[in-house]
Amino acid sequence: MSQNIYDNQAFFEGYAQLPRSVHGLDGAPEWASLRAMLPPLAGKRVLDLGCGYGWFCRSAREQGAAEVLGIDLSSRMLARAAELTRDPAIRYCQGDLAALTLEGEPYDLVYSSLALHYLPEVAPLFEQLFDALHPGASLVFSVEHPIFTCPQPQGWLQDEQGRRSWPINGYQAEGRRTSDWLAPGVIKYHRTLGSYLNALITAGFRLERVEEWGPSAEQIAANPALAEEAERPMLLLVAARRPAMR
């Protein structure tokens, strides 16, 4: 079973203070880039893996999705999602993405935001998602970028002149990483960019777009704290498609 850190009281309380928790998708600086990767959702069946507060589930319905299923491991996150949702076309379900079983009608879109780096393996999940999508349907997800996840400990280095750099030692050494982010002992998994993309290709997906996200000049001007995200990619955004049958 994956670590259920979001049900940790200290972690959950800290997460609740983040802009993306308070303001939803508009509080996530990468949202505009992710939104541009989405297919039209009118009349579609949508699956959100690691749905959290359900922000994307509700957004998908606003974009015309016919029905949305959100899955998350955290009972606290799902309880908050239920509080914020008044829509019978949105369902929430507790589940571990590392042991996910999908049944029923195929989906038109599988979406996941900042959840897959908590999984020790992604290849089995990608294979299952390929089977769970209609031919021609899309998978769009974000994860912490491998350059961000590789070092231990994570953090900037500063030389005698005050210049900062991000270490990439340990990049090829895939596996478990432990950090103190919002709470002690948060477990995530580092894998290389090639491992993510090759797992998708092996599962049968066709890559549509890959973005090593960084903030725009306008975003930095509005929020100077984002400037360091332009120095190294923190997030990896990927859009892939199950090829349509010929």
Side-chain angles (χ1 to χ4, degrees):
M1 182 176 180
S2 301
Q3 182 191 38
N4 191 0
I5 191 64
Y6 284 81
D7 274 352
N8 175 290
Q9 182 68 28
F11 188 97
F12 183 79
E13 290 177 355
Y15 185 85
Q17 306 305 312
L18 298 178
R20 65 182 65 236
S21 299
V22 176
H23 303 294
L25 298 177
D26 290 336
E30 77 280 7
W31 167 239
S33 296
L34 271 174
R35 182 175 54 200
M37 294 181 175
L38 298 174
L41 298 184
K44 305 301 186 181
R45 296 187 76 234
V46 175
L47 174 63
D48 183 357
L49 299 180
C51 63
Y53 286 6
W55 293 112
F56 179 76
C57 295
R58 293 185 292 277
S59 174
R61 280 285 290 154
E62 291 170 1
Q63 295 176 61
E67 56 182 291
V68 184
L69 173 62
I71 298 177
D72 203 284
L73 182 59
S74 167
S75 60
R76 289 181 183 271
M77 300 293 276
L78 291 172
R80 181 60 177 149
E83 290 174 0
L84 294 170
T85 304
R86 297 291 183 270
D87 187 339
I90 299 175
R91 295 187 298 119
Y92 296 111
C93 177
Q94 188 170 22
D96 184 354
L97 302 187
L100 189 64
T101 300
L102 296 173
E103 300 175 345
E105 292 295 315
Y107 291 93
D108 301 293
L109 170 68
V110 176
Y111 174 89
S112 183
S113 173
L114 301 179
L116 303 188
H117 48 249
Y118 290 106
L119 306 183
E121 302 288 342
V122 292
L125 178 63
F126 288 161
E127 291 170 0
Q128 186 171 176
L129 295 182
F130 185 88
D131 292 336
L133 286 165
H134 283 292
S138 297
L139 167 63
V140 177
F141 68 90
S142 66
V143 291
E144 291 183 350
H145 195 285
I147 284 178
F148 180 78
T149 60
C150 67
Q152 282 198 309
Q154 291 178 351
W156 294 94
L157 301 178
Q158 186 166 306
D159 65 18
E160 295 178 353
Q161 286 73 43
R163 294 172 299 194
R164 299 200 309 163
S165 60
W166 187 265
I168 58 170
N169 55 297
Y171 184 85
Q172 299 290 353
E174 297 187 328
R176 175 169 166 161
R177 301 291 194 269
T178 303
S179 64
D180 295 338
W181 178 63
L182 302 179
V186 179
I187 299 172
K188 300 177 184 178
Y189 291 87
H190 166 67
R191 54 187 62 89
T192 67
L193 178 61
S195 289
Y196 276 116
L197 302 185
N198 287 327
L200 287 166
I201 293 168
T202 300
F205 284 100
R206 184 181 69 200
L207 295 173
E208 297 277 302
R209 183 169 178 81
V210 177
E211 182 169 339
E212 298 175 289
W213 181 83
S216 66
E218 292 77 13
Q219 287 178 309
I220 294 172
N223 182 3
L226 288 174
E228 70 176 24
E229 309 305 343
E231 296 299 322
R232 55 94 180 92
M234 183 181 179
L235 302 180
L236 173 67
L237 316 182
V238 179
R241 187 179 299 273
R242 174 174 175 169
M245 292 186 296
R246 299 193 179 192

